[in-house]
């Protein structure tokens, strides 16, 4: 790498890192405390028994617990371990970065004078519908086909331990309640472990993003030529969102400046980015199987791209 | 790896990240990387990481008990702490790119990266709703009222106003022929400069962080060989604003009367909401 490239990479890398780290920390602190303080299975109590309504509710949880896509991954990993159904966890994971008040406000603000209300409501609605659709599909799949093997194994161990503890096998199951101080230490340890897990993948993702962002990586120029193509433009902006790995709370300010592109293409950018990008590709690997991630990426790309093209024709025909 | 040693290793990695965030915030260098509203969040993140790292460092050998009395410092790691990869690999992947970036960064982009970020783009190819709010008022009187005048009679404009005026015919009419002063960074003009009489003046516009920044440039016309000033250094220029059509694109061109090296402003980039 030439000295100029090193300098460009470093500026882009550090700026994205500085922007994202606080949100990852917030997510991992929440996840660490969930790990230690939230009793297993408690999330089930908050969700409807009916699978479909449970997934629908999970799609709206971001309105109550607003987290961006960096913070949501460690949180859902812990929630899965605490008994949240995987279908609900993935619905929450995909929906929360979009269906939350901070993202809604930033989108509305960024698109002032460009159909802000329509763009904001379209983004939230499409994000919610896509996340719910993924949740419903995942509810039909086995854990082993969705979660990474080590997580499945861990869940099975926890389940076996739970069955053993409460099976009435005759010996004493009374546990000494840990002290508050010990629980705090355990919570911080769990948070640090989660932070390191996520930070490793985040650092790799940001490195790749910085290489594309500054044009060091090959093939960074081709996007520009596709703006006027009604089919290729949403695909191009989804590719851009994938590469740039922007935070959902701030990506609308970038999308609003892409005035060569149609609103439908921008909608695709704003919906696909928070669900799948380079950095998430790595973060998802802390929870999901690689094969499932690839299928999820392809499915999201096709579904969001298709709906955005149709949406452009239907609602944004004036543009 | 022994759980206690792993905790110490992870704590140190977290503290390195914390130190980098706090150093950039404390030194003020973070201004070159983040928009104002993200800086304080980054500082809070640095403090949070320091608390997380120090707490775990000082309690690394403590038996935590926790949810099931199995958080001690024994050889077998409890599930709450076992990771996806070898701890040393994880720490290296965390630390190496950060350390390299801190060593490599000059807090600014090279010309190649700036070109990619719009340094040589035509103004009509770039516009933004929130940038439009910075445009001046719509009569010559209001323009004169809302801009300070230098002792030698030039109205002080920011570069963004001049840049985006070329996309608005009404503003072009009002600014065309106006004597203005502005500041920015000094760059070679690489397009439409057959006589070598032009330079380019730019500033960056940052939405959230430097990675999403865009160059906001105008053209400086000297009519002769431009003065020697440091490339990418800060300059103040004064002259007459014109909007000629060049190769089918309206360009903001400042015919320069004077150009002097200047101190960088407190906020070197234009910021969202600023």
């Amino acid at each position: 790498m030439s000295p100029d490239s090193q300098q460009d990479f470093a500026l882009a890398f550090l700026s994205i890192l500085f922007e994202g780290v606080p949100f990852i920390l917030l997510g991992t602190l929440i996840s660490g405390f969930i790990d230690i303080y939230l009793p297993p299975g408690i999330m089930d109590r908050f969700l409807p028994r009916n699978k479909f309504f449970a997934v629908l509710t999970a799609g709206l949880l971001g309105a109550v617990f607003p987290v961006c896509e960096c913070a949501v991954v460690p949180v859902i990993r812990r929630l899965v371990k605490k008994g949240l159904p995987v279908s609900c966890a993935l619905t929450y994971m995909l929906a929360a970065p979009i269906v939350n008040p901070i993202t809604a406000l930033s989108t509305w603000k960024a698109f002032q004078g460009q159909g802000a209300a329509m763009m904001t409501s379209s983004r939230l609605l499409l994000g919610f519908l896509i996340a719910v659709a993924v949740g419903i599909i995942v509810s039909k799949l086995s854990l082993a086909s969705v979660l990474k093997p080590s997580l499945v194994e861990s869940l099975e161990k926890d389940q076996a331990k739970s069955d053993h503890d409460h099976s009435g096998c005759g010996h004493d199951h009374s546990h000494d309640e840990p002290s508050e101080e010990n629980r705090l230490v355990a919570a911080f340890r769990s948070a640090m472990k989660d932070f390191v897990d996520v930070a490793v993948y985040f650092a790799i993702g940001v490195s790749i993003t910085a290489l594309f962002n500054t044009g060091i990586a090959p093939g960074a120029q081709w996007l520009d030529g596709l703006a006027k193509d009604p089919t290729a433009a949403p695909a191009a902006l989804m590719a851009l969102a994938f590469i740039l790995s922007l935070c959902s709370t701030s990506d609308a300010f970038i999308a609003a400046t892409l005035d060569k592109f149609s609103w439908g293409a921008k909608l695709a950018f704003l919906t696909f980015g928070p669900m799948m990008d380079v950095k998430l590709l790595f973060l998802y690997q802390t929870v999901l199987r690689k094969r499932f991630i690839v299928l999820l990426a392809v499915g999201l790309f096709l579904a969001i791209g298709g709906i955005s093209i149709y949406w452009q024709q239907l609602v944004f025909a004036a543009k | 790896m022994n759980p206690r040693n792993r905790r110490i290793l992870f704590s140190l990695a977290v503290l390195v990240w914390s130190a980098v965030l706090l150093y950039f915030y404390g030194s003020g260098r973070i201004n070159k990387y983040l928009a104002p509203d993200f800086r304080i969040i980054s500082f809070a993140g640095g403090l949070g990481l320091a608390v997380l790292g120090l707490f775990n460092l000082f309690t690394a050998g403590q038996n935590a008990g926790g949810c099931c009395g199995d958080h001690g410092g024994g050889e077998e790691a409890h599930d709450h702490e076992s990771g996806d990869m070898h701890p040393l690999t994880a720490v290296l992947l965390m630390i190496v790119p950060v350390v390299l970036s801190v060593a490599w960064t000059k807090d600014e982009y090279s010309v190649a990266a700036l070109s990619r970020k719009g340094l040589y783009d035509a103004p009509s190819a770039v516009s933004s709703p929130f940038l439009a709010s910075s445009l001046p008022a719509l009569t010559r009187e209001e323009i004169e009222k809302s801009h300070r005048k230098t002792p030698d009679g030039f109205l002080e404009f920011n570069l963004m106003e001049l840049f985006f005026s070329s996309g608005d015919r009404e503003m072009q009419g009002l600014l065309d022929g106006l004597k203005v002063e502005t500041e920015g960074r000094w760059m070679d003009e690489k397009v439409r400069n057959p006589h070598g009489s032009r330079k380019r003046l730019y500033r960056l516009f940052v939405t959230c962080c430097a990675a999403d920044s865009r160059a906001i440039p105008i053209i400086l016309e000297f009519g002769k060989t431009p003065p020697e000033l440091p490339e990418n250094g800060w300059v103040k220029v004064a002259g007459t604003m014109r909007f000629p059509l060049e190769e089918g694109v309206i360009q903001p061109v400042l015919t320069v009367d004077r150009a002097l090296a200047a101190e960088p402003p407190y906020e070197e980039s234009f910021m969202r909401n600023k």
Side-chain angles (χ1 to χ4, degrees):
Chain A
M1 208 187 278
S2 71
D4 277 358
S5 296
Q6 290 175 356
Q7 155 188 353
D8 297 335
F9 170 84
L11 183 61
F13 177 88
L14 288 174
S15 67
I16 302 172
L17 189 89
F18 293 161
E19 191 185 14
V21 163
F23 296 98
I24 294 178
L25 177 66
L26 180 67
T28 50
L29 284 175
I30 292 170
S31 74
F33 280 76
I34 286 172
D35 183 28
I36 302 303
Y37 287 94
L38 200 68
I42 198 163
M43 289 303 290
D44 265 349
R45 293 183 214 162
F46 292 110
L47 293 171
R49 291 281 160 223
N50 179 290
K51 269 187 184 179
F52 177 72
F53 288 114
V55 168
L56 281 183
T57 307
L60 296 171
L61 280 178
V64 187
F65 305 108
V67 281
C68 67
E69 68 271 27
C70 295
V72 78
V73 177
V75 172
I76 70 114
R77 193 162 73 152
R78 282 297 172 211
L79 290 177
V80 167
K81 285 190 147 193
K82 292 291 174 186
L84 182 69
V86 175
S87 56
C88 295
L90 289 193
T91 305
Y92 175 64
M93 181 182 83
L94 296 176
I98 297 174
V99 187
N100 79 60
I102 301 165
T103 302
L105 184 66
S106 67
T107 309
W108 182 79
K109 212 170 156 191
F111 278 87
Q112 288 297 300
Q114 289 191 64
M118 178 59 82
M119 186 56 89
T120 306
S121 55
S122 300
R123 183 185 195 190
L124 267 62
L125 183 63
L126 183 56
F128 173 76
L129 291 177
I130 293 285
V132 166
V134 171
I136 290 169
I137 293 167
V138 167
S139 70
K140 313 283 182 202
L141 304 175
S142 68
L143 278 186
S145 61
V146 176
L147 300 179
K148 61 187 291 187
S150 61
L151 192 57
V152 175
E153 195 182 323
S154 164
L155 287 173
E156 285 168 354
K157 271 186 194 167
D158 288 351
Q159 185 60 45
K161 187 170 180 292
S162 169
D163 291 346
H164 170 74
D165 286 350
H166 304 286
S167 61
C169 55
H171 58 260
D172 183 13
H173 287 286
S174 61
H175 293 265
D176 292 334
E177 276 297 309
S179 71
E180 196 55 36
E181 185 193 338
N182 282 346
R183 289 178 71 152
L184 189 65
V185 170
F188 268 91
R189 278 181 190 167
S190 183
M192 182 172 72
K193 184 255 169 188
D194 279 353
F195 182 83
V196 171
D197 275 356
V198 175
V200 166
Y201 291 102
F202 185 70
I204 296 169
V206 173
S207 299
I208 294 168
T209 305
L211 290 173
F212 273 97
N213 183 280
T214 52
I216 299 167
Q221 303 285 346
W222 68 272
L223 280 170
D224 296 344
L226 303 173
K228 298 296 173 200
D229 187 316
T231 308
L237 284 199
M238 283 191 285
L240 184 67
F242 181 81
I243 292 163
L244 291 181
S245 302
L246 300 162
C247 180
S248 65
T249 58
S250 56
D251 57 0
F253 293 100
I254 305 297
T257 66
L258 300 168
D259 61 351
K260 286 183 202 165
F261 289 85
S262 67
W263 287 351
K266 290 177 192 173
L267 182 63
F269 176 92
L270 292 170
T271 312
F272 185 78
M275 295 187 178
M276 186 59 69
D277 61 33
V278 174
K279 122 194 133 240
L280 286 173
L281 202 61
F282 289 93
L283 291 179
Y284 286 163
Q285 287 179 48
T286 62
V287 183
L288 304 171
R289 285 184 80 98
K290 284 180 186 164
R291 187 165 172 270
F292 179 80
I293 296 172
V294 172
L295 290 174
L296 180 68
V298 172
L300 290 173
F301 188 85
L302 294 175
I304 294 170
I307 293 171
S308 298
I309 292 166
Y310 178 68
W311 203 281
Q312 171 71 28
Q313 292 168 348
L314 190 72
V315 183
F316 297 124
K319 173 76 172 171
Chain B
M1 184 181 282
N2 180 302
R4 180 174 169 274
N5 291 342
R6 185 177 53 208
R7 285 175 207 137
I8 292 171
L9 195 63
F10 283 178
S11 299
L12 293 175
V14 167
L15 287 170
V16 169
W17 277 36
S18 164
V20 171
L21 262 72
L22 293 177
Y23 163 71
F24 274 79
Y25 184 86
S27 65
R29 289 175 67 185
I30 201 139
N31 294 4
K32 309 273 183 73
Y33 293 80
L34 295 178
D37 41 352
F38 282 95
R39 290 174 199 160
I40 192 72
I41 296 172
S42 178
F43 176 61
L47 286 180
L49 286 177
V51 171
L52 184 69
L54 289 173
F55 185 94
N56 281 300
L57 188 63
F58 291 133
T59 59
Q62 187 175 325
N63 188 332
C67 62
C68 47
D70 194 16
H71 290 270
E75 288 301 315
E76 286 303 315
H78 182 275
D79 182 56
H80 293 275
E81 291 185 75
S82 60
D84 296 332
M85 60 180 73
H86 191 279
L88 209 55
T89 311
V91 167
L92 284 175
L93 286 171
M94 254 183 91
I95 298 300
V96 170
V98 174
V99 170
L100 284 178
S101 294
V102 171
W104 288 343
T105 186
K106 294 179 181 169
D107 300 339
E108 62 187 21
Y109 284 119
S110 71
V111 179
L114 286 170
S115 300
R116 181 166 169 71
K117 290 179 177 295
L119 180 61
Y120 294 103
D121 286 359
S124 56
V126 186
S127 70
S128 165
F130 43 87
L131 298 183
S133 64
S134 68
L135 290 173
L138 291 177
T139 67
R140 184 68 75 106
E141 291 73 29
E142 282 168 335
I143 287 173
E144 293 195 0
K145 266 188 213 167
S146 59
H147 293 78
R148 283 192 307 184
K149 198 174 250 187
T150 63
D152 49 351
F154 293 96
L155 289 174
E156 291 179 359
F157 270 74
N158 78 46
L159 199 60
M160 200 152 65
E161 290 175 312
L162 302 176
F163 176 78
F164 281 100
S165 297
S166 59
D168 183 321
R169 285 201 181 280
E170 192 179 354
M171 285 308 303
Q172 284 168 32
L174 290 167
L175 294 187
D176 195 50
L178 201 66
K179 291 171 84 67
V180 303
E181 183 188 79
T182 190
E183 63 183 344
R185 285 173 178 265
W186 180 261
M187 271 288 175
D188 281 339
E189 175 62 322
K190 293 185 176 172
V191 288
R192 295 182 296 278
N193 189 18
H195 308 296
S197 60
R198 288 183 163 186
K199 285 283 183 179
R200 192 161 275 246
L201 193 73
Y202 83 94
R203 285 177 76 171
L204 287 178
F205 177 84
V206 172
T207 306
C208 297
C209 70
D212 64 39
S213 59
R214 281 203 66 86
I216 305 289
I218 64 166
I219 297 161
L220 304 177
E221 174 62 71
F222 288 83
K224 56 184 181 182
T225 305
E228 288 290 326
L229 289 165
E231 189 181 67
N232 216 16
W234 280 89
V235 294
K236 270 197 177 171
V237 293
T240 307
M241 202 62 211
R242 301 283 181 206
F243 297 94
L245 188 68
E246 297 184 349
E247 294 177 9
V249 178
I250 294 170
Q251 297 283 359
V253 177
L254 185 70
T255 305
V256 181
D257 292 335
R258 62 170 159 82
L260 296 168
E263 288 295 311
Y266 175 71
E267 288 287 3
E268 293 192 17
S269 302
F270 294 116
M271 301 288 175
R272 171 170 57 87
N273 299 332
K274 287 279 162 185

